[in-house]
Amino acid sequence: MLRLDIRTKIIILLTISTSTFIVNTLWIEVLCVIILSGMQLAFGKKVFSKWLVFAYVILFFAQCTLLPLMPTVVEAALSVIVVQFRSMIPLLMGILMIVRTTKVNELIATMTKMKIPKPATITLAVTLRYFPAIVEEWSHIREAMRLRPIASTQKSIPKKIAVNVECYLVPLFIAASKTADELTAAALTRGIENPTQRTCRGYHQISRIDIFIIILCVIIIFTAGIAKVMSLC
């Protein structure tokens, strides 16, 4: 099973952001999706974002095959939506990979060794733990909605949508607020604000695979930059 340092994962995320939003080259974007899919499979099946890959393939073929067949006005309107959603998918894949494969103690240990300011370390540690907690709350809300089919009692479709939105979002917002308070209290209880020097049991040195992936990221950014300059010329 693949294991990467948190610094390598951050470099991967920066590479994806640069190549998809700043450089905005389609073939580089496709290459990033392929590399991310392979890395996620190397981490394990639970990390692989199959639905995001499926959505990217659908949007890619829709842009290449379906949109050119539509009228010009419709193509211009839909292409903006398709391109924006498609370019967001590689970034979402990178974020999900970091959230699913990074432990909080490893993040804190690495950032402590890097002399990162403590407020930034605390913010990232709480954020990293926050997303899985919200996903867990969402699954609990969905299971509760299955037990009590409230929306099915409504006859009109707009009322069904309104009831579903209310029944899902209101508990989710309340749970999100409580989760944030609980995570903050848990971090304070574990002494995250302790001014003394912390031990770093979760710290790992950069391995050869980390160096290889960092070099690959540099090559991708360099190649994407050259392609962007040549296209402008």
Side-chain angles (χ1 to χ4, degrees):
M1 183 178 293
L2 183 64
R3 186 172 184 178
L4 297 178
D5 187 76
I6 181 62
R7 289 164 287 189
T8 306
K9 297 174 186 178
I10 293 175
I11 292 174
I12 292 172
L13 194 62
L14 292 176
T15 304
I16 297 169
S17 303
T18 303
S19 58
T20 55
F21 291 99
I22 299 177
V23 180
N24 195 15
T25 305
L26 181 59
W27 66 272
I28 291 290
E29 183 180 293
V30 174
L31 179 62
C32 288
V33 172
I34 294 174
I35 294 174
L36 280 173
S37 300
M39 292 176 60
Q40 288 181 345
L41 287 173
F43 274 113
K45 292 183 179 180
K46 293 182 179 180
V47 183
F48 181 60
S49 308
K50 58 181 179 180
W51 293 111
L52 288 178
V53 175
F54 179 74
Y56 186 86
V57 172
I58 294 296
L59 293 174
F60 180 81
F61 280 102
Q63 181 181 354
C64 296
T65 58
L66 297 179
L67 291 182
L69 301 177
M70 296 182 179
T72 306
V73 178
V74 179
E75 180 185 359
L78 291 179
S79 62
V80 175
I81 301 174
V82 170
V83 170
Q84 291 298 324
F85 276 102
R86 193 204 68 224
S87 60
M88 285 293 295
I89 290 177
L91 186 61
L92 290 175
M93 291 176 65
I95 293 174
L96 287 176
M97 184 181 68
I98 293 176
V99 171
R100 292 174 178 174
T101 60
T102 305
K103 297 180 180 179
V104 178
N105 61 337
E106 294 178 358
L107 174 66
I108 295 176
T110 303
M111 297 187 73
T112 302
K113 282 287 186 179
M114 294 172 63
K115 307 298 183 182
I116 301 296
K118 187 168 289 187
T121 303
I122 295 173
T123 302
L124 286 177
V126 173
T127 303
L128 189 66
R129 186 64 187 89
Y130 184 74
F131 287 108
I134 292 301
V135 172
E136 186 178 356
E137 290 291 341
W138 176 265
S139 64
H140 292 165
I141 294 171
R142 185 174 58 186
E143 291 175 0
M145 286 292 293
R146 289 177 179 176
L147 292 175
R148 301 180 62 185
I150 301 174
S152 61
T153 59
Q154 304 295 329
K155 296 182 179 180
S156 62
I157 296 179
K159 287 186 178 180
K160 286 185 178 181
I161 296 175
V163 170
N164 275 319
V165 170
E166 180 181 359
C167 292
Y168 276 98
L169 293 186
V170 172
L172 184 64
F173 289 154
I174 296 174
S177 178
K178 291 183 177 179
T179 301
D181 295 337
E182 290 173 359
L183 289 176
T184 304
L188 293 175
T189 303
R190 294 182 179 182
I192 200 169
E193 289 187 342
N194 191 352
T196 58
Q197 184 67 28
R198 296 177 58 90
T199 57
C200 298
R201 290 184 60 188
Y203 178 74
H204 300 282
Q205 296 289 342
I206 294 179
S207 60
R208 293 180 181 179
I209 187 66
D210 290 311
I211 297 174
F212 172 76
I213 292 177
I214 291 172
I215 294 174
L216 181 62
C217 290
V218 173
I219 293 173
I220 290 175
I221 294 177
F222 183 73
T223 307
I226 293 176
K228 186 66 175 181
V229 171
M230 291 181 63
S231 64
L232 292 176
C233 296

